Amino acid sequence: MYSVPKLDDYSPAALDRAIGNLRSALEQEVSAVKSEADHEALRIRWRARTNGILTQINDQWLKAAPKEAKRDVGQRVNELKTWVEAKIEAAKYLADHFEPLSDEEKAGFRERAIQAITEARVARERLDITLPGIRRPLGAEHPVVKTTNEIIGIFAKMGYSVETGPEIETDYYNFESMNFPPNHPARDTQDTIFIAGQESKPQRDRLLLRTHTSPVQTRAMEKHRPPIRVVAPGKVHRSDTPDASHSPIFHQVEGLAVDTNITFSDLKGTLDHAMKELFGSDVKTRFFPSFFPFTEPSADVQVTCFKCGGKGCRLCKMSGWIELLGCGMVNPKVLAFHKDNGYDPEKVSGFAFGMGVERIAMLKYGIDDIQLFFHGDVRFLEQFA
Ligand code: PHE
């Protein structure tokens, strides 16, 4: 059995020899470890605080060393300690994981495993803190998300809360409850992407990708009794061929307010305020007659071109006005779907609006191609960080 010798020669060669003997002694003892009990005996023999071999080395080699050899011996003893601890840790791993294996499985494995574990442990101790670190680039909000949040924030300040709905909707929510009766030609204005294989279901249950966020109006009125003020952000789909101003996937923010005595003036005041918050207090708004089945009367909101101030330029096609969103007074037929939940069209009224997020972001930031939002090019995206 190995025991720690006293040293009287502290020359590098003598130290090398002493350390070499100790290392081969430990190698041998480790290779004899076959069980947890063996390992525990080994651990105590080498690492016990009182009189373990590591303690003895400290006392007999380092403390006893003459002054001029202390530095060298100290360094070697430190390295040796790390190695001994690593070796004993490796032996534990083997006692736990290796000894249960069959002889065949063991062949050749043991030495390689001991070596690998020892080296890994020693390398860990030698961590070089001067190496450059790993840089993790910070992400940033996507301009669509950023603009969505900005729109939501404007309405949140006016007391609106946020409502969401699914992107895969039924015909009932997307069309029927929004007063597009089955086969009504107004459905043709929303180039719809239908989910295949729905023919066996009644039409109102058939699935499609929602063409607008308006179905969330229905979901909100099912969930909450009036008064209600909600905005509903989200992704919508239309069967459009992509070009600089069209994308089959885009985003909208829907709005709905229902209460007693809500009038068209409330709608105008609310949207005029929102457009000024979004584009600056200089912009003026105007309301242009339009048609949606779910609002009556309906309007398109236009704002004065914030590029030329209304004089006429390429952005506004020389008209001085830019069309931004659809809106109107909630059609009594839509309210009537929710009569039992407090939405009696004789008693309450409301307005609704829907705006395209990409379009607003493009106008705000001067982006001339909607496709840029969806390419994921970091050079584009980082400009909004
Ligand atoms: N849903 C309409 C669209 O996508 C927009 C809209 C919403 C119009 C609410 C009026 C009221 O075109």
Side-chain angles (χ1 to χ4, degrees), residues 220-238:
M221 286 189 279
E222 285 176 347
K223 229 160 94 186
H224 311 286
R225 296 178 64 85
I228 182 179
R229 281 168 181 72
V230 293
V231 279
K235 193 179 285 171
V236 302
H237 299 76
R238 295 205 190 163

Side-chain angles (χ1 to χ4, degrees), residues 25-59:
L26 180 57
E27 298 269 17
Q28 252 174 32
E29 290 183 32
V30 163
S31 60
V33 170
K34 301 276 183 237
S35 65
E36 221 184 295
D38 289 351
H39 179 266
E40 186 57 10
L42 177 84
R43 192 187 66 78
I44 290 168
R45 176 168 144 75
W46 285 80
R47 300 201 51 191
R49 210 152 278 180
T50 39
N51 233 22
I53 290 176
L54 287 182
T55 308
Q56 291 180 42
I57 289 172
N58 219 42
D59 294 345

Side-chain angles (χ1 to χ4, degrees), residues 212 214 217 238 252 254 292 294-295 326-327 352-354:
H212 51 178
S214 299
Q217 291 188 30
R238 295 205 190 163
Q252 292 185 330
E254 188 84 10
F292 301 101
F294 38 93
T295 47
C327 67
F353 54 86

Side-chain angles (χ1 to χ4, degrees), residues 230-247:
V230 293
V231 279
K235 193 179 285 171
V236 302
H237 299 76
R238 295 205 190 163
S239 173
D240 274 330
T241 308
D243 64 22
S245 56
H246 293 85
S247 164

Side-chain angles (χ1 to χ4, degrees), residues 310-330:
K311 287 204 288 287
C313 65
R314 261 183 50 189
L315 184 67
C316 59
K317 296 185 190 125
M318 304 314 288
S319 73
W321 294 91
I322 292 175
E323 198 174 300
L324 267 187
L325 62 127
C327 67
M329 299 308 289
V330 179

